[in-house]
Amino acid sequence: MYNLLQRLIALISLILLSPLFLVVAILIKLESKGPVFFKQERVGKDNINFTIYKFRSMRTDTPDVATHLLDNPDIFITKIGGFLRKTSLDELPQLLNIVKGEMLFVGPRPALYNQYDLTGLRELRGVDKLYPGVTGWAQVNGRDELEIEEKVEFDKEYLDNKSIILDIKIVFMTLFKVFKREGIVEGKKATNED
């Protein structure tokens, strides 16, 4: 029932935010060639892969490697992309993933299909049984600053204490951190669009 409610909230949010989606889409298209949305294979509940959606924040000629492996990742981030990342607006299309039943608002951030170290640790700790989230307990407790082992421990803590109250707390903590830009390390994203 709780998951169904989240899907309904995501659908209503998509409808209400459609003018913003349109504006962002136009800005992305005006600045650079390529698709509006960035799509990537991620690992979901029970280690089943799905396609995650984001607003594209980098040029289409960006090498398909982790951003921190690029010599100068900033040259690949578009101007509008930099703004989208700073405000986390690039994450809004994940509302589609929630409507489709692949994600929830709160849960562990979905791992890349090839992040075997992360998915392996999550499976050992039972975290793979959770739906991934747009935000999560690890996100509000360090985000990009955390090592993989620390992220998984926070994910496990969330699993052990999961509740509606904790989810609400995480959502408000996320909004506060996005507003203050806490826990974001430039150039240390997991992938060229994460």
Side-chain angles (χ1 to χ4, degrees), residues 115-133:
Q115 278 185 297
Y116 304 115
D117 48 354
L118 178 57
T119 54
L121 280 174
R122 283 179 169 171
E123 193 168 354
L124 279 173
R125 305 291 279 149
V127 177
D128 61 310
K129 301 301 177 202
L130 292 170
Y131 281 97

Side-chain angles (χ1 to χ4, degrees), residues 92-108:
L92 278 181
Q94 289 166 48
L95 289 168
L96 292 165
N97 293 113
I98 297 173
V99 171
K100 291 171 67 179
E102 299 163 332
M103 292 178 68
L104 296 176
F105 283 102
V106 178

Side-chain angles (χ1 to χ4, degrees), residues 145-159:
E145 297 168 347
L146 297 175
E147 296 299 325
I148 286 175
E149 294 80 8
E150 293 175 293
K151 286 181 184 179
V152 174
E153 285 311 307
F154 278 115
D155 293 340
K156 173 65 171 153
E157 192 176 318
Y158 173 75
L159 173 66

Side-chain angles (χ1 to χ4, degrees), residues 49-72:
N49 289 5
F50 70 100
T51 301
I52 197 171
Y53 300 99
K54 295 185 176 198
F55 282 121
R56 182 172 58 84
S57 62
M58 301 187 89
R59 296 183 346 215
T60 55
D61 63 340
T62 304
D64 192 18
V65 297
T67 302
H68 68 276
L69 296 178
L70 296 171
D71 288 333
N72 186 3

